[in-house]
Amino acid sequence: MTLPKRVFSGARPSGRQHLGNYMGAIRNYVALQEEFDECLYCAVDVHALTTMTSKEETGEIQQNIREMVLDWLAAGLNPEKSIIFVQSHVPEVMTLHTLLSMVTPMGWLMRVPTFKDKVRQMEATDESVPYGLVGYPVLMTADIILYKAEVVPVGEDQLPHLELSREIVRRFNNLFGPVFPEPQARLTESPMILGTDGQAKMSKTMNNHIELAATEDETAAKVKTMVTDPQRARRTDPGRPWVCNVYKLHHWFNPDKLDEVYRECTAAGIGCVDDKKLLAEGVNTYFSEFRERRREFASRDGYVEEVLLDGANRAGAIAKETIREVEESMGLRLKAR
Ligand code: TRP
């Protein structure tokens, strides 16, 4: 039985996805297809623009969308069930963004913690911060409620945004009538996946990531660079799996070998080099079918474009309905009938 609710999630088109994206988001997107009636998964290209400062960066958007969508499809997002599309292909989201900006107090936006972080990251000041970045959560709200989605799978870092979305919805509904349902965050349960440095969360920016679409050799080479127990200097030293990021990843990719690895590592029976070989094998096995499917989708001429066009058409039909309702309720249009 599927629940008659809509799911929406968005991700900035960041190119090839990595283990962290998969464990934190993508596999959950896939699972939600079984639980809910309709899921929309969106590559939010306009959001990507909020922090881009050069033509080099924007020049990568199209390729990044393609790579990310190929990963989504290979992971099991099913375009027959789910609506897979690009944010800017449904331009009604920009209309809704503008209209929602009329009911959103600046104070709410300035208080969002991620806003302050981004301003710092961009080395912007209160004077130079782009207007679009201030409105980031308004655009995100527009994404969700344009489709009247009620369930929004996100990571913990997005909770303040979702809370703001709910406040904007409440305010809109109070002023203009009950047009929108309040969206609910749906937290993905999974511990943070650390990067190969064993320090920071896995990310492309930190270059401590392992791409899902990497070859077996690339995967092995990346895993080889992973930081293990820093106190285990020699092969004969016993290791401490509880501080080792390689061991943490065995939980996901070699769940049946956990006890053995623990025993052998703490007894210095297995060295870090062999342990990493084991992890690389685990990752490669885990993603072998994924990689096969991805190659197949990538080789079909025009396939990704076709999926995205169909997604934009289906999303666009819902969007037009909502915009009509919003414009009527805000007095921009005579009520039909
Ligand atoms: N802000 C989200 C992120 O950085 C991406 C996003 C944009 C999103 N619009 C959304 C997520 C709507 C969920 C719903 O990860």
Side-chain angles (χ1 to χ4, degrees):
M1 237 272 294
T2 51
L3 296 166
K5 277 187 182 174
R6 256 188 211 134
V7 174
F8 183 100
S9 199
R12 276 175 285 175
S14 51
R16 290 187 171 200
Q17 303 291 285
H18 53 68
L19 299 186
N21 300 131
Y22 184 80
M23 289 301 162
I26 300 171
R27 71 192 168 107
N28 194 40
Y29 291 0
V30 175
L32 290 170
Q33 296 183 120
E34 306 305 319
E35 200 181 327
F36 292 94
D37 227 29
E38 192 164 41
C39 300
L40 295 98
Y41 296 117
C42 182
V44 291
D45 54 347
V46 183
H47 274 110
L49 290 178
T50 58
T51 50
M52 287 191 166
T53 48
S54 72
K55 188 96 180 163
E56 281 78 74
E57 287 175 278
T58 55
E60 291 175 357
I61 295 176
Q62 297 310 312
Q63 187 62 21
N64 284 346
I65 290 173
R66 179 183 164 81
E67 299 285 355
M68 183 167 83
V69 170
L70 277 171
D71 282 335
W72 283 359
L73 294 168
L77 289 198
N78 179 353
E80 313 239 312
K81 286 194 79 166
S82 297
I83 299 179
I84 301 168
F85 73 111
V86 177
Q87 186 181 33
S88 69
H89 294 181
V90 184
E92 283 81 1
V93 75
M94 325 236 199
T95 305
L96 186 56
H97 168 261
T98 302
L99 296 176
L100 294 179
S101 77
M102 307 304 169
V103 302
T104 309
M106 278 293 283
W108 291 2
L109 298 173
M110 309 297 284
R111 274 195 295 274
V112 175
T114 45
F115 171 69
K116 292 179 203 141
D117 293 346
K118 288 241 182 71
V119 172
R120 219 173 299 127
Q121 266 170 36
M122 288 179 88
E123 294 172 21
T125 63
D126 284 356
E127 289 292 313
S128 70
V129 60
Y131 168 59
L133 185 63
V134 184
Y136 185 107
V138 184
L139 183 58
M140 181 163 159
T141 304
D143 280 330
I144 301 165
I145 71 178
L146 184 57
Y147 307 103
K148 300 192 177 179
E150 293 176 76
V151 180
V152 185
V154 284
E156 209 160 340
D157 61 316
Q158 296 295 315
L159 289 182
H161 286 152
L162 252 289
E163 208 32 66
L164 195 59
S165 294
R166 295 158 61 79
E167 285 181 281
I168 294 173
V169 163
R170 283 198 286 269
R171 179 142 213 200
F172 184 99
N173 288 347
N174 274 331
L175 286 166
F176 303 113
V179 174
F180 296 112
E182 276 184 38
Q184 297 270 1
R186 164 104 166 204
L187 274 185
T188 311
E189 277 173 60
S190 66
M192 194 206 296
I193 302 281
L194 293 180
T196 49
D197 52 8
Q199 300 287 316
K201 183 171 160 177
M202 186 174 283
S203 73
K204 189 171 171 175
T205 352
M206 294 295 292
N207 193 25
N208 62 2
H209 61 307
I210 300 172
E211 288 175 355
L212 308 177
T215 63
E216 298 198 343
D217 290 346
E218 285 164 357
T219 305
K222 267 283 190 177
V223 171
K224 219 183 217 172
T225 70
M226 284 184 70
V227 175
T228 54
D229 174 4
Q231 278 181 29
R232 191 177 186 193
R234 277 174 297 264
R235 166 70 182 76
T236 49
D237 295 337
R240 300 174 301 165
W242 56 93
V243 300
C244 179
N245 190 33
V246 173
Y247 184 72
K248 277 202 194 96
L249 291 185
H250 281 310
H251 279 96
W252 299 101
F253 302 109
N254 284 316
D256 53 332
K257 298 205 174 75
L258 279 177
D259 292 348
E260 180 193 334
V261 169
Y262 192 97
R263 201 175 345 103
E264 293 298 316
C265 172
T266 49
I270 181 180
C272 295
V273 174
D274 288 327
D275 185 32
K276 288 177 185 177
K277 272 198 193 124
L278 210 56
L279 179 60
E281 280 167 22
V283 173
N284 286 332
T285 307
Y286 193 98
F287 289 107
S288 84
E289 282 170 36
F290 167 96
R291 288 170 183 172
E292 222 166 281
R293 279 194 299 270
R294 194 186 198 279
R295 264 193 303 278
E296 206 272 305
F297 290 141
S299 72
R300 283 194 218 168
D301 218 19
Y303 179 61
V304 172
E305 292 75 10
E306 199 182 295
V307 166
L308 293 177
L309 180 61
D310 178 60
N313 285 334
R314 285 150 72 199
I318 307 172
K320 283 194 179 63
E321 248 331 279
T322 308
I323 290 296
R324 189 186 51 74
E325 231 184 301
V326 169
E327 289 183 348
E328 283 180 5
S329 65
M330 292 182 93
L332 293 176
R333 196 201 272 254
L334 280 175
K335 278 207 176 26
R337 127 191 97 89

